[in-house]
């Protein structure tokens, strides 16, 4: 496996205006904590495609990768895996605004400082950005029984599910009362 790269020296690329450099790099493992559970990338050190293009006033950066995120299913806690497609862009101006100026994301990348690209942080943030709201072992995961904790994907349990909904309860009472009242017709 390729050596992990956390930082890229953009100046060392020595790009002339209009020139571009493309490289495939392995970044350090990404671990995310979601909903109180730990998720990690698989492969552990994701390979990313980094593209650096020299424009007249700065560097255009593009990061792409396809990686799996693995961890517990958010419903049943069994192992789950989700495929993530990352395609992120940044622009790093040659003359970033002074510290006291308002930070402008269009010209200054938070991942570039002194021509050093924090590739590890950028990759981590880009991956975190495309994580779906729910990570499931399968789309129709039945989850755990809230009463006995059994995994409903494996076997149904005998728990009676109490559906407490006051609106239906009110309708039921009304129906019973109508049924008891003597007919008028
Ligand atoms: Zn599940
Ligand atoms: Zn149960």
């Amino acid at each position: 496996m390729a050596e992990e790269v956390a930082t890229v020296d953009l100046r060392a690329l020595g790009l002339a205006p209009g020139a571009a450099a493309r490289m495939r790099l392995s970044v350090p493992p990404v671990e995310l904590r979601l909903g109180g559970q730990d998720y990690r990338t698989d492969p552990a050190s994701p390979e990313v495609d980094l593209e650096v293009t020299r424009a007249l006033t700065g560097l255009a950066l593009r990061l792409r990768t396809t990686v799996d995120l693995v961890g517990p299913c958010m419903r049943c806690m069994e192992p789950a895996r989700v495929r993530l497609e990352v395609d992120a862009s940044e622009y790093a101006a040659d003359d970033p605004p002074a510290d006291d100026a308002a930070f402008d994301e269009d010209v200054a990348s938070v991942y570039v400082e002194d021509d050093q690209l924090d590739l590890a942080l950028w990759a981590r943030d880009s991956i975190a950005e495309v994580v779906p709201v729910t990570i499931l072992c399968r789309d129709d995961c039945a989850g755990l029984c809230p009463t006995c904790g059994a995994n409903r994907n494996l076997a149904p349990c005998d728990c009676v599910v109490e559906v407490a909904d006051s609106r239906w309860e009110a309708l039921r009472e009304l129906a019973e009362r109508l049924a008891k009242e003597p007919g008028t017709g």
Side-chain angles (χ1 to χ4, degrees):
M1 185 188 289
E3 198 181 326
E4 288 169 14
V5 176
T7 311
V8 176
D9 186 345
L10 298 173
R11 189 180 293 150
L13 296 175
L15 292 173
R22 291 176 190 82
M23 59 208 90
R24 175 164 290 192
L25 305 166
S26 287
V27 296
V30 174
E31 289 176 7
L32 301 172
R33 196 156 174 83
L34 307 165
Q37 303 296 326
D38 292 318
Y39 296 83
R40 58 179 178 76
T41 45
D42 182 38
S45 307
E47 279 199 334
V48 304
D49 287 313
L50 177 67
E51 196 175 313
V52 184
T53 307
R54 166 143 288 292
L56 282 176
T57 58
L59 293 171
L61 308 167
R62 191 173 183 191
L63 182 157
R64 276 173 289 184
T65 186
T66 300
V67 68
D68 283 358
L69 195 68
V70 295
C73 168
M74 289 179 176
R75 280 189 198 148
C76 74
M77 305 303 283
E78 290 296 312
R81 170 181 297 269
V82 62
R83 173 68 46 96
L84 303 176
E85 303 279 351
V86 174
D87 188 344
S89 298
E90 287 284 320
Y91 189 81
D94 291 330
D95 296 309
D99 284 346
D100 55 326
F103 191 84
D104 187 346
E105 277 191 13
D106 290 338
V107 294
S109 169
V110 295
Y111 306 112
V112 179
E113 198 176 342
D114 295 333
D115 289 310
Q116 300 298 308
L117 170 64
D118 191 338
L119 185 66
L121 183 62
W122 188 19
R124 184 196 181 283
D125 285 356
S126 308
I127 288 170
E129 212 160 87
V130 297
V131 172
V133 179
T134 52
I135 297 172
L136 302 176
C137 60
R138 60 185 209 217
D139 286 344
D140 62 347
C141 171
L144 302 178
C145 169
T147 304
C148 73
N151 186 340
R152 287 165 164 170
N153 295 318
L154 304 176
C157 58
D158 298 325
C159 297
V160 176
V161 180
E162 294 279 344
V163 180
D165 188 321
S166 56
R167 289 166 303 174
W168 289 113
E169 190 63 20
L171 279 175
R172 194 178 60 77
E173 282 173 10
L174 179 65
E176 280 178 4
R177 214 164 48 234
L178 289 174
K180 282 178 197 153
E181 283 172 8
T184 53

Coordinates of all heavy atoms in Angstrom, one line a residue, residues 141-175:
C141 N -34.0 -2.7 6.8 CA -33.7 -3.3 8.1 C -34.8 -3.1 9.0 O -35.4 -2.0 9.2 CB -32.4 -2.6 8.6 SG -32.1 -3.0 10.3
A142 N -35.2 -4.2 9.7 CA -36.4 -4.1 10.6 C -36.0 -3.6 12.0 O -36.9 -3.3 12.8 CB -37.0 -5.5 10.7
G143 N -34.7 -3.5 12.3 CA -34.3 -3.0 13.5 C -34.5 -3.9 14.7 O -34.9 -5.0 14.6
L144 N -34.3 -3.3 15.9 CA -34.4 -4.1 17.2 C -35.8 -3.8 17.8 O -36.3 -2.7 17.6 CB -33.3 -3.6 18.2 CG -31.9 -3.8 17.7 CD1 -31.0 -3.2 18.8 CD2 -31.5 -5.2 17.4
C145 N -36.3 -4.9 18.4 CA -37.6 -4.7 19.1 C -37.3 -3.7 20.3 O -36.4 -4.0 21.1 CB -38.1 -6.0 19.6 SG -39.5 -5.8 20.8
P146 N -38.1 -2.7 20.4 CA -37.9 -1.7 21.5 C -38.2 -2.3 22.9 O -37.8 -1.8 23.9 CB -38.9 -0.6 21.2 CG -39.9 -1.2 20.3 CD -39.2 -2.3 19.5
T147 N -38.9 -3.5 22.9 CA -39.3 -4.1 24.2 C -38.3 -5.1 24.7 O -37.8 -5.0 25.8 CB -40.7 -4.7 24.0 OG1 -41.7 -3.8 23.6 CG2 -41.2 -5.3 25.4
C148 N -38.0 -6.1 23.8 CA -37.1 -7.1 24.2 C -35.7 -7.0 23.6 O -34.8 -7.8 24.0 CB -37.7 -8.5 23.9 SG -37.6 -8.9 22.2
G149 N -35.5 -6.1 22.7 CA -34.2 -6.0 22.1 C -33.8 -7.0 21.1 O -32.6 -7.0 20.6
A150 N -34.7 -7.9 20.7 CA -34.4 -8.9 19.7 C -34.2 -8.3 18.3 O -34.8 -7.2 18.0 CB -35.5 -9.9 19.6
N151 N -33.3 -8.8 17.5 CA -33.1 -8.4 16.2 C -34.2 -8.9 15.3 O -34.3 -10.1 15.0 CB -31.7 -8.9 15.7 CG -31.4 -8.3 14.3 OD1 -32.3 -7.8 13.6 ND2 -30.1 -8.3 14.0
R152 N -35.1 -8.0 14.8 CA -36.2 -8.4 14.1 C -35.9 -8.9 12.7 O -36.8 -9.5 12.0 CB -37.2 -7.3 14.0 CG -38.0 -7.0 15.3 CD -38.6 -5.7 15.2 NE -39.7 -5.5 16.2 CZ -40.2 -4.3 16.4 NH1 -39.9 -3.2 15.7 NH2 -41.1 -4.1 17.3
N153 N -34.7 -8.7 12.2 CA -34.2 -9.2 10.9 C -34.1 -10.7 11.0 O -34.2 -11.5 10.0 CB -32.9 -8.6 10.5 CG -33.1 -7.1 10.2 OD1 -34.0 -6.7 9.6 ND2 -32.1 -6.4 10.7
L154 N -33.7 -11.2 12.2 CA -33.4 -12.7 12.4 C -34.6 -13.5 12.7 O -34.8 -14.5 12.1 CB -32.4 -12.8 13.5 CG -31.1 -12.0 13.3 CD1 -30.1 -12.2 14.5 CD2 -30.4 -12.5 12.0
A155 N -35.5 -13.0 13.6 CA -36.7 -13.7 14.0 C -37.7 -12.7 14.6 O -37.3 -11.9 15.3 CB -36.3 -14.8 15.0
P156 N -39.0 -12.9 14.3 CA -39.9 -12.1 15.0 C -40.0 -12.4 16.5 O -39.8 -13.6 16.8 CB -41.2 -12.4 14.2 CG -41.0 -13.8 13.7 CD -39.6 -13.9 13.5
C157 N -40.3 -11.5 17.3 CA -40.5 -11.8 18.7 C -42.0 -11.7 19.0 O -42.8 -11.3 18.2 CB -39.7 -10.8 19.6 SG -40.2 -9.1 19.4
D158 N -42.3 -12.1 20.3 CA -43.8 -12.2 20.6 C -44.3 -10.9 21.3 O -45.4 -10.9 21.8 CB -44.0 -13.4 21.6 CG -43.6 -14.7 20.9 OD1 -43.9 -14.8 19.7 OD2 -43.1 -15.6 21.5
C159 N -43.4 -9.9 21.3 CA -43.8 -8.7 22.0 C -45.1 -8.0 21.3 O -45.2 -8.0 20.1 CB -42.7 -7.7 22.0 SG -41.3 -8.3 22.9
V160 N -46.0 -7.5 22.2 CA -47.1 -6.8 21.6 C -46.8 -5.4 21.5 O -46.3 -4.8 22.5 CB -48.4 -7.0 22.6 CG1 -49.5 -6.2 22.1 CG2 -48.7 -8.5 22.7
V161 N -46.9 -4.8 20.3 CA -46.5 -3.5 20.2 C -47.7 -2.6 20.5 O -48.8 -2.7 19.9 CB -46.1 -3.2 18.7 CG1 -45.7 -1.7 18.5 CG2 -44.9 -4.1 18.4
E162 N -47.5 -1.8 21.6 CA -48.6 -0.9 22.0 C -48.6 0.4 21.1 O -47.6 1.1 21.1 CB -48.4 -0.5 23.5 CG -48.5 -1.6 24.4 CD -50.0 -1.9 24.8 OE1 -50.8 -1.1 24.5 OE2 -50.2 -3.0 25.3
V163 N -49.6 0.6 20.4 CA -49.7 1.8 19.6 C -50.5 2.8 20.3 O -51.8 2.7 20.4 CB -50.3 1.5 18.2 CG1 -50.3 2.8 17.4 CG2 -49.5 0.4 17.5
A164 N -49.9 3.7 20.9 CA -50.6 4.7 21.7 C -50.7 6.0 20.9 O -49.8 6.7 20.7 CB -49.8 5.0 23.0
D165 N -51.9 6.1 20.4 CA -52.2 7.3 19.5 C -53.5 7.8 20.0 O -54.6 7.2 19.7 CB -52.2 6.9 18.1 CG -52.2 8.2 17.2 OD1 -53.0 9.1 17.6 OD2 -51.6 8.2 16.1
S166 N -53.5 9.0 20.6 CA -54.8 9.5 21.3 C -55.9 9.8 20.2 O -57.0 9.6 20.5 CB -54.5 10.8 22.1 OG -53.8 11.7 21.2
R167 N -55.4 10.1 19.0 CA -56.5 10.4 18.0 C -57.3 9.2 17.7 O -58.5 9.2 17.6 CB -55.8 11.0 16.7 CG -55.3 12.4 16.9 CD -54.4 12.7 15.7 NE -53.3 11.7 15.6 CZ -52.4 11.8 14.6 NH1 -52.5 12.7 13.7 NH2 -51.4 10.9 14.6
W168 N -56.6 8.0 17.5 CA -57.3 6.8 17.2 C -58.1 6.3 18.4 O -59.2 5.8 18.2 CB -56.3 5.7 16.8 CG -55.7 6.0 15.4 CD1 -54.4 6.3 15.1 CD2 -56.4 6.0 14.2 NE1 -54.2 6.5 13.8 CE2 -55.4 6.3 13.2 CE3 -57.7 5.8 13.8 CZ2 -55.8 6.4 11.8 CZ3 -58.1 5.9 12.5 CH2 -57.1 6.2 11.5
E169 N -57.6 6.6 19.6 CA -58.3 6.2 20.8 C -59.6 7.0 20.9 O -60.7 6.4 21.2 CB -57.4 6.5 22.0 CG -57.9 6.0 23.3 CD -58.0 4.4 23.3 OE1 -57.3 3.8 22.5 OE2 -58.7 3.9 24.2
A170 N -59.6 8.2 20.5 CA -60.8 9.1 20.6 C -61.8 8.6 19.5 O -63.0 8.5 19.8 CB -60.4 10.5 20.3
L171 N -61.3 8.2 18.4 CA -62.2 7.7 17.3 C -62.9 6.4 17.7 O -64.0 6.1 17.5 CB -61.4 7.5 16.0 CG -61.2 8.7 15.2 CD1 -60.3 8.4 14.0 CD2 -62.5 9.3 14.7
R172 N -62.0 5.5 18.4 CA -62.5 4.2 18.8 C -63.7 4.4 19.9 O -64.7 3.8 19.8 CB -61.4 3.4 19.4 CG -61.7 1.9 19.6 CD -60.5 1.2 20.1 NE -60.1 1.7 21.4 CZ -60.7 1.4 22.6 NH1 -61.8 0.6 22.6 NH2 -60.3 1.9 23.7
E173 N -63.4 5.3 20.8 CA -64.5 5.6 21.8 C -65.7 6.1 21.2 O -66.8 5.7 21.6 CB -63.9 6.6 22.9 CG -63.0 5.9 23.9 CD -62.3 7.0 24.8 OE1 -62.8 8.2 24.7 OE2 -61.4 6.6 25.5
L174 N -65.6 7.0 20.2 CA -66.7 7.5 19.5 C -67.5 6.4 18.8 O -68.7 6.3 18.9 CB -66.3 8.6 18.5 CG -67.4 9.3 17.7 CD1 -68.3 10.1 18.6 CD2 -66.8 10.1 16.6
A175 N -66.8 5.5 18.2 CA -67.4 4.4 17.5 C -68.2 3.5 18.4 O -69.3 3.1 18.1 CB -66.4 3.6 16.7

